[in-house]
Amino acid sequence: MAEARARAGARQEPRAGSREESNPLLYCALGLVVPGLGHIALGRRGTGAVFLVSIGLLFVFGIGMEGELFPFEAAAPLTLLAGLAEMGSGAFYVAARMLGLGAGNPEAPTYEYGYAFLIVAGLLNMLVVLDAWDIATGAKESTDDAASAGEAGSAAR
Amino acid sequence: MSHFAALLLFAALVSPAFACLMREGWAARLRFTAWAFLSFVGFAVGIGWIMYLAGG
């Protein structure tokens, strides 16, 4: 029992001399700017790639469905929250704003789906950033992608 | 794009991300992705039928 506790405690400590120890905020910032980049910087390339593709496609399809990037209107709290959620997509959000995309077309049949995709993309990336924080601080057990790939390979065999 | 196609697309994109957040190891993630995808679609279709039947 005590040994198990000690093992669990040891697992939650950042590994001495590891890059996770350097600065968790850096990985969070990377992940917030480009979805999945924090995980890639932490050495979990496969996981980061999945996040980048999933969140990127959610955002792109959201724009394609004529979803709206909501403005920040203090008078409309729900719109404000939706806008903040969409901002979570980081570089995708900035690029869309710079390109003048995301005006939204409420008359389009896919308008509601579009902004739902955009909001989910942003919120999902916020979860991904928190996950990067957990990995960088040692709060989440970190198994690198190479080990995971090996595990998948052995399971397939 | 039909509503059902949008549902399938949403489920297909969100499921792998949830799997990577909640599971370690690619085999477990693959199983979770399949489970989450089927759950998304199954619950949406089920709730759709309930609304259809309840609405007369």
Side-chain angles (χ1 to χ4, degrees), chain A residues 44 47 54 113 140 143, chain B residues 1 3 13 21 24 26 29:
Chain A
R44 302 177 63 137
T47 306
S54 293
Y113 284 110
K140 181 177 181 180
T143 56
Chain B
M1 178 180 284
H3 292 221
L13 292 175
L21 285 171
E24 291 295 329
W26 291 106
R29 285 173 176 178

Side-chain angles (χ1 to χ4, degrees), chain A residues 61-121:
Chain A
F61 277 112
I63 293 289
M65 290 179 190
E66 303 187 69
E68 183 175 359
L69 291 174
F70 291 103
F72 299 102
E73 291 176 11
L78 290 179
T79 305
L80 179 70
L81 286 174
L84 286 173
E86 289 174 341
M87 270 188 75
S89 299
F92 292 107
Y93 178 88
V94 174
R97 280 283 187 211
M98 288 176 72
L99 293 169
L101 302 171
N105 176 15
E107 292 180 4
T110 53
Y111 170 73
E112 282 87 2
Y113 284 110
Y115 74 66
F117 272 53
L118 293 171
I119 289 171
V120 170

Side-chain angles (χ1 to χ4, degrees), chain B residues 5-23:
Chain B
L7 163 67
L8 292 179
L9 184 63
F10 181 86
L13 292 175
V14 172
S15 300
F18 276 159
C20 286
L21 285 171
M22 299 178 69
R23 291 290 184 272

Side-chain angles (χ1 to χ4, degrees), chain A residues 110-136:
Chain A
T110 53
Y111 170 73
E112 282 87 2
Y113 284 110
Y115 74 66
F117 272 53
L118 293 171
I119 289 171
V120 170
L123 292 177
L124 197 53
N125 194 40
M126 291 179 193
L127 282 177
V128 169
V129 167
L130 290 175
D131 190 61
W133 170 272
D134 281 347
I135 294 167

Side-chain angles (χ1 to χ4, degrees), chain B residues 8-51:
Chain B
L8 292 179
L9 184 63
F10 181 86
L13 292 175
V14 172
S15 300
F18 276 159
C20 286
L21 285 171
M22 299 178 69
R23 291 290 184 272
E24 291 295 329
W26 291 106
R29 285 173 176 178
L30 202 60
R31 282 193 299 272
F32 189 89
T33 298
W35 179 84
F37 179 83
L38 292 174
S39 297
F40 270 124
V41 176
F43 275 98
V45 171
I47 290 170
W49 269 105
I50 289 170
M51 288 193 293

